[in-house]
Amino acid sequence: MRAIVVREFGGKPEAADMPVPEVGPGQVQIQLEAAGVNPFDKRIIDGFLDGKLPHDFPLIPGTDGAGSISAVGAGVNDFEIGDRVVGKFLIPPVGHGTFAEYIVVPRESAIAKLPDEVTAIRAAALPTAGITALDLMHAAGVKGGQKVLIVGASGGVGSYLVQLGALAGAHVLATARPDDTDRMIRLGATEVVNYGRVTVTDSPTHAEDSELSVADSVRMTDPGGIDVLFDLVSPPPVFADNASLVKPGGWAFSTIWSADEADLKARGVQGGNLESSGGAAELRELLRMVGNGDLMVPISNMPPLAEAAEVVGAPGARGKTVLVI
Ligand SMILES: NC(=O)c1ccc[n+]([C@@H]2O[C@H](COP(=O)([O-])OP(=O)(O)OC[C@H]3O[C@@H](n4cnc5c(N)ncnc54)[C@H](OP(=O)(O)O)[C@@H]3O)[C@@H](O)[C@H]2O)c1
């Protein structure tokens, strides 16, 4: 089968011909049509799980994928050949991922059947980012009228979070580079906080480039503070500055282990570092929302599988990248 592999930790993804994995008892084989790309794929390639889980090389990366069931192992009664499915798969030994034509997974994996109206390509953009966004919303219990700041809003997790926040009736403040401002508004942001280098003009004859801090911008626009911070990108000192905007009793979460949980607690702020734990139930909830039109799947890039090396680990995400298999 066609697949993308790396031959060592830190290796460059390359196209390869690999054996089709065979289905065993309690497993299903999926013929994949599309694989979603996540920052985690690059971290696995770089050895993040080395020493924590066994790995097989050549290693096929990819945790998110969608397609149809192509074989069913003994003892599997709830899936049939031809069922259209999507899933989030990280099954040891690591190295048998979704950047391939076929994958074999245990039936009890995070796997869900697709409603007729959701294509495999759209579905493949959902699992890791969508489930993480839903987990964050559930953890903070976001309510209508609350001010929710999303830092890193323009990427995969953020583009779902902005929509889920707006659906809950929250006042969503979303970070974006200036050229991505309109997309954030269309996704449901109430305010867009620009970051990065911007040109500040303070008189007809004077303009200079300046680096905006998200926290300083929000202090000016929302001096009363915010109720919830979802920070998907900031290192610890920047996270601490952003979290200082949260009112006592509010919530602050980091998805990249930047939160000092003792410090948050001392200020009466709940939350901390969130590790996504959602599975099939959350996937079904997301598919329902996509199927009934409440949630848009924010795909910005759909390269063919052979171009994986160019998109895995690439910065500048604007929603999701999906590899078309
Ligand atoms: N804990 C968990 O369970 C869990 C689950 C899923 C994801 N994650 C992690 O959460 C992070 C976000 O995931 P993702 O899939 O959304 O990543 P992504 O698709 O790569 O999006 C990250 C976004 O953040 C923007 N960004 C970068 N620096 C920024 C800054 N200083 N201020 C504001 N925005 C900035 C990027 O745009 P520019 O590059 O143009 O700035 C990009 O649009 C990743 O590190 C991922 O590994 C953790």
Side-chain angles (χ1 to χ4, degrees):
M1 67 175 179
R2 286 179 300 115
I4 296 297
V5 301
V6 295
R7 298 189 183 276
E8 59 190 346
F9 286 127
K12 188 174 179 209
E14 59 182 85
D17 191 18
M18 294 290 285
V20 174
E22 286 185 15
V23 74
Q27 297 178 325
V28 294
Q29 183 195 60
I30 304 168
Q31 182 172 12
L32 294 159
E33 285 175 49
V37 178
N38 293 286
F40 194 53
D41 303 323
K42 174 73 171 132
R43 296 175 72 195
I44 287 181
I45 289 171
D46 288 345
F48 174 67
L49 295 176
D50 188 17
K52 298 179 192 126
L53 290 178
H55 291 65
D56 281 345
F57 286 91
L59 178 150
I60 303 174
T63 57
D64 293 353
S68 48
I69 301 281
S70 43
V72 175
V76 176
N77 305 315
D78 46 354
F79 286 102
E80 290 177 8
I81 291 176
D83 282 348
R84 300 168 62 248
V85 294
V86 60
K88 181 177 88 165
F89 310 115
L90 179 63
I91 296 146
V94 179
H96 304 272
T98 56
F99 294 0
E101 284 183 282
Y102 291 90
I103 189 171
V104 164
V105 297
R107 181 270 155 267
E108 65 273 13
S109 315
I111 181 169
K113 292 185 190 175
L114 296 188
D116 289 345
E117 55 274 29
V118 181
T119 63
I121 288 179
R122 289 203 296 155
L126 276 174
T128 297
I131 291 173
T132 304
L134 207 52
D135 286 347
L136 286 164
M137 289 292 294
H138 289 161
V142 173
K143 295 181 212 45
Q146 287 188 319
K147 283 198 174 173
V148 177
L149 171 62
I150 302 167
V151 181
S154 43
V157 177
S159 294
Y160 287 116
L161 257 182
V162 171
Q163 298 182 73
L164 294 173
L167 273 173
H171 176 114
V172 176
L173 297 90
T175 62
R177 292 192 188 272
D179 63 356
D180 201 28
T181 299
D182 290 353
R183 189 176 68 93
M184 285 296 116
I185 300 282
R186 286 197 298 276
L187 289 177
T190 322
E191 293 179 53
V192 178
V193 185
N194 288 141
Y195 70 97
R197 290 195 79 71
V198 295
T199 303
V200 178
T201 310
D202 57 10
S203 79
T205 55
H206 179 249
E208 65 180 53
D209 276 359
S210 138
E211 194 83 27
L212 279 186
S213 138
V214 168
D216 283 346
S217 299
V218 174
R219 270 184 207 105
M220 281 190 284
T221 57
D222 297 83
I226 59 171
D227 301 290
V228 179
L229 167 69
F230 295 130
D231 194 327
L232 315 172
V233 293
S234 303
V238 182
F239 176 86
D241 196 19
N242 293 337
S244 72
L245 301 166
V246 180
K247 298 182 224 169
W251 294 84
F253 287 101
S254 166
T255 57
I256 60 163
W257 303 95
S258 290
D260 178 335
E261 295 183 348
D263 182 54
L264 290 178
K265 204 170 171 191
R267 295 200 309 101
V269 174
Q270 308 166 85
N273 297 299
L274 181 128
E275 175 110 47
S276 175
S277 57
E282 286 71 19
L283 207 40
R284 284 194 292 271
E285 189 175 343
L286 291 163
L287 287 166
R288 257 196 312 277
M289 283 190 270
V290 173
N292 67 22
D294 284 340
L295 189 67
M296 197 272 282
V297 180
I299 297 175
S300 62
N301 194 11
M302 290 191 298
L305 179 66
E307 290 176 16
E310 280 135 61
V311 294
V312 172
R318 298 291 173 264
K320 293 294 303 176
T321 293
V322 173
L323 294 168
V324 179
I325 300 166

